[in-house]
Amino acid sequence: MLENLICELKKEINKLENIEDKVNALNSVREALREVSPFKEPVDCIRWIKTDCIQANEYNPNKVASPEMKLLHTSIKLDGYTQPIVAYKIDNNHYEVVDGYHRNRIGKEYKDINKRIHGYLPCSIIDKPLDERIGSTIRHNRARGTHQIRSMSDIVIDLVKQKWEDEDICKKLGMELDEVIRLKQISGLKEAFQNHSFSKSWEEFENKYYKNQQR
């Protein structure tokens, strides 16, 4: 019975000549299948979203040099998109990149790729508030080793301003306590230590970095 249903579904989708109608139909099928899937991971439902509907975020410290961008283009050109762009749905027509900014750029800026994927990009959708999306972006970047220390200090300060405790920053961004304190120091802002708990974290930091200097 399932095989017959699959055959009928393929026939119906093949009847759609307009690429937008076909993509919308495929996205709907994937979303419907996810409802009965035992896997509730974002990657279990990849949607194709128009490139014009996807925008970069303003907090990503990940930077890729020109040679690496060219290599990424070559990789996507030869292997195709093997990883989706992780995105947040702002509204029905707008999405924001959480991870995959450069994969997003390749699909938009390189005409050969854009033509091949019909002006769409594969997206895995997550639904989280802004501070949690920042955490997601940093975790993705740090897992690849592609984050910048200066930008990271700015992000830590932003999270401090949003009342994140040091322990939360460590846990959510995969950082050590001394990393958080050093990034606060780099910022040069007194406000970074306004609600800082010195009783434990500062003692650990001093013992690790200044104990030998005091002898």
Side-chain angles (χ1 to χ4, degrees):
M1 182 177 177
L2 281 176
E3 290 183 2
N4 291 334
L5 288 173
I6 292 171
C7 287
E8 289 300 317
L9 182 60
K10 289 169 64 177
K11 288 179 182 178
E12 291 300 317
I13 292 176
N14 280 328
K15 289 179 183 178
L16 301 173
E17 297 181 359
N18 182 281
I19 185 67
E20 184 173 351
D21 291 340
K22 185 169 287 190
V23 171
N24 288 338
L26 289 169
N27 284 342
S28 295
V29 170
R30 292 189 181 100
E31 290 169 11
L33 290 175
R34 192 188 183 192
E35 293 179 7
V36 295
S37 172
F39 305 107
K40 303 305 178 184
E41 306 297 324
V43 75
D44 193 43
C45 183
I46 305 300
R47 302 168 179 86
W48 286 92
I49 309 296
K50 287 184 177 180
T51 56
D52 294 342
C53 296
I54 303 172
Q55 66 187 45
N57 62 58
E58 298 179 351
Y59 53 81
N60 191 358
N62 184 2
K63 303 293 182 183
V64 173
S66 180
E68 282 73 20
M69 277 293 288
K70 290 180 180 178
L71 180 59
L72 180 59
H73 169 245
T74 300
S75 174
I76 292 174
K77 181 178 181 179
L78 298 179
D79 301 326
Y81 271 93
T82 59
Q83 297 183 58
I85 290 151
V86 182
Y88 167 74
K89 187 175 182 179
I90 299 173
D91 56 42
N92 287 334
N93 296 312
H94 297 90
Y95 295 78
E96 183 180 80
V97 174
V98 176
D99 180 69
Y101 169 69
H102 297 96
R103 298 192 294 280
N104 166 55
R105 280 187 58 191
I106 296 295
K108 290 181 176 181
E109 298 174 16
Y110 287 79
K111 293 182 179 179
D112 58 334
I113 304 298
N114 187 271
K115 181 179 180 181
R116 192 182 73 193
I117 58 178
H118 306 286
Y120 286 80
L121 283 165
C123 293
S124 175
I125 310 301
I126 64 172
D127 185 12
K128 293 183 176 183
L130 177 59
D131 58 343
E132 292 292 339
R133 299 201 302 275
I134 292 175
S136 296
T137 299
I138 301 306
R139 285 192 294 273
H140 280 84
N141 288 348
R142 287 174 63 84
R144 288 190 299 265
T146 54
H147 64 282
Q148 292 194 330
I149 197 74
R150 179 71 240 179
S151 296
M152 279 294 289
S153 67
D154 295 337
I155 288 173
V156 166
I157 296 307
D158 287 341
L159 295 178
V160 169
K161 290 178 180 178
Q162 294 185 47
K163 309 301 182 184
W164 280 40
E165 299 292 339
D166 289 352
E167 291 76 11
D168 294 327
I169 296 174
C170 290
K171 182 178 179 181
K172 297 290 181 65
L173 303 190
M175 301 172 70
E176 297 293 333
L177 183 59
D178 56 90
E179 287 185 271
V180 175
I181 296 175
R182 278 189 286 126
L183 289 171
K184 284 185 175 183
Q185 286 185 318
I186 288 172
S187 72
L189 294 176
K190 293 181 180 179
E191 292 87 345
F193 292 94
Q194 186 173 5
N195 298 316
H196 187 83
S197 178
F198 289 93
S199 59
K200 180 180 178 182
S201 55
W202 187 258
E203 288 178 5
E204 291 179 7
F205 181 73
E206 281 193 321
N207 287 335
K208 186 169 184 178
Y209 289 96
Y210 296 120
K211 190 173 183 180
N212 293 332
Q213 297 179 14
Q214 295 173 350
R215 290 180 178 176

